[in-house]
Amino acid sequence: MALNKVVICGVNTAKLPLLTNDEKNELFIQIEQGDKQAREKLIKGNLRLVLSVIQRFAASNENADDLFQVGCIGLMKAIDNFDRSLNVRFSTYAVPMIIGECRRYLRDNNAIRVSRSLRDIAYKAIYAKERILKEEDREPTIDEVARAIEMDKETVVMALDAIATPVSLFDPVYQEGGDTLYIMDQVSDKKNKEDNWVEDISLKEAMKKLSDREYNIIRLRFFEGKTQTEVANEIAISQAQVSRLEKSALKSMKNYLDI
């Protein structure tokens, strides 16, 4: 997927405008008052967001123009459905919508074909889930989604599984202040509790060089198989702090072992 070119779908990506949060809020107010030009300006002002999102799908080798257009559809849906009373940044709301639209497009164009009827059930389930989430401000259960589309839950689960796109362990799920939380950081490894393998590669000695807090984080993460979120809850600090301390500890251990 050639993302290094300047023009995508006739749009010069080097000259895409940027909007401040205040400008976005003002445009949303104008949109609520029926100003169509404000909607167009808001779309153009967020095309950089679409461009940044579709870069996540570079490995798919999909045509960049096609993905950009699909991402723009997701952006427009996000603008039309954004609720300012939720008190969240627009980009926080829009990114999952754009990603979802791109993933649906890639699923429909995947070489592994899923039957049209099963795909339709899955999309109905997804839309029902989004509707319930918006109306009740909570994640619905599979039973509730199944009842909403008048299907049995086994069929709903099968349909959703059929269109699911495999993800990489290195896909980011959250970012704060330059600290990125990846899927692998949320995966527990309950089998990796034995420390007999440590004896042979001097890891114990390397761990002795760590501070008490760093030592505790490494022990919880890699010997008790806990996620960064679980570690953060246990030692009463933020996940971002756990991430920084873990990276620092691993770097210190690597430097020691490289000596």
Side-chain angles (χ1 to χ4, degrees):
M1 188 166 96
L3 286 171
N4 56 347
K5 61 182 181 179
V6 174
V7 178
I8 295 182
C9 295
V11 177
N12 187 341
T13 58
K15 296 183 178 180
L16 290 175
L18 282 173
L19 298 174
T20 65
N21 286 331
D22 289 341
E23 288 174 328
K24 291 177 185 177
N25 289 333
E26 181 59 33
L27 287 172
F28 272 116
I29 293 172
Q30 295 174 19
I31 291 171
E32 290 169 1
Q33 296 171 348
D35 190 335
K36 293 183 179 179
Q37 288 186 342
R39 182 176 182 271
E40 291 300 315
K41 187 175 180 179
L42 189 59
I43 292 171
K44 291 179 181 178
N46 281 280
L47 291 181
R48 284 183 182 270
L49 184 63
V50 176
L51 188 63
S52 68
V53 169
I54 67 171
Q55 290 180 24
R56 302 184 184 194
F57 300 93
S60 69
N61 294 318
E62 193 66 34
N63 182 276
D65 286 353
D66 293 341
L67 265 184
F68 187 73
Q69 291 181 62
V70 172
C72 288
I73 293 173
L75 172 63
M76 289 185 281
K77 287 183 178 180
I79 289 173
D80 293 340
N81 291 282
F82 183 62
D83 184 353
R84 290 192 301 119
S85 67
L86 294 176
N87 201 24
V88 298
R89 293 177 62 181
F90 173 68
S91 58
T92 303
Y93 177 80
V95 167
M97 295 278 283
I98 298 169
I99 290 175
E101 205 66 34
C102 290
R103 283 180 172 164
R104 277 192 282 273
Y105 169 78
L106 291 174
R107 282 196 295 261
D108 288 348
N109 289 275
N110 198 293
I112 301 174
R113 296 297 176 185
V114 178
S115 70
R116 180 62 183 270
S117 60
L118 204 57
R119 246 193 353 256
D120 287 345
I121 293 171
Y123 291 155
K124 286 179 182 178
I126 291 170
Y127 294 141
K129 180 180 177 181
E130 291 174 351
R131 177 176 55 77
I132 295 172
L133 179 62
K134 186 175 182 180
E135 291 175 354
E136 303 188 18
D137 195 25
R138 65 176 179 83
E139 192 80 14
T141 65
I142 286 293
D143 286 329
E144 290 173 323
V145 172
R147 284 197 298 271
I149 64 173
E150 299 180 343
M151 300 290 298
D152 61 86
K153 67 178 182 180
E154 289 78 11
T155 303
V156 171
V157 171
M158 182 173 66
L160 291 173
D161 284 345
I163 66 167
T165 302
V167 296
S168 168
L169 287 174
F170 295 96
D171 279 352
V173 294
Y174 180 74
Q175 187 167 12
E176 179 183 342
D179 292 300
T180 303
L181 177 66
Y182 298 96
I183 289 177
M184 67 178 298
D185 295 325
Q186 294 295 83
V187 176
S188 296
D189 182 7
K190 302 303 181 184
K191 295 181 180 179
N192 192 23
K193 295 184 179 181
E194 297 80 9
D195 63 355
N196 54 350
W197 57 278
V198 178
E199 305 280 350
D200 300 328
I201 54 175
S202 301
L203 282 178
K204 278 188 174 180
E205 291 301 317
M207 289 179 66
K208 288 179 182 179
K209 306 296 181 182
L210 304 176
S211 67
D212 290 343
R213 176 172 279 185
E214 288 176 335
Y215 183 95
N216 199 24
I217 288 173
I218 295 299
R219 177 181 61 81
L220 292 170
R221 282 282 288 133
F222 299 103
F223 293 94
E224 295 192 13
K226 295 188 177 182
T227 68
Q228 286 188 349
T229 302
E230 290 171 333
V231 173
N233 291 334
E234 182 161 331
I235 64 177
I237 62 175
S238 70
Q239 180 275 320
Q241 287 177 294
V242 171
S243 177
R244 283 194 292 270
L245 288 167
E246 179 184 314
K247 289 174 183 175
S248 174
L250 290 174
K251 183 178 180 181
S252 297
M253 292 171 65
K254 182 178 183 299
N255 290 339
Y256 175 82
L257 293 170
D258 284 344
I259 293 175

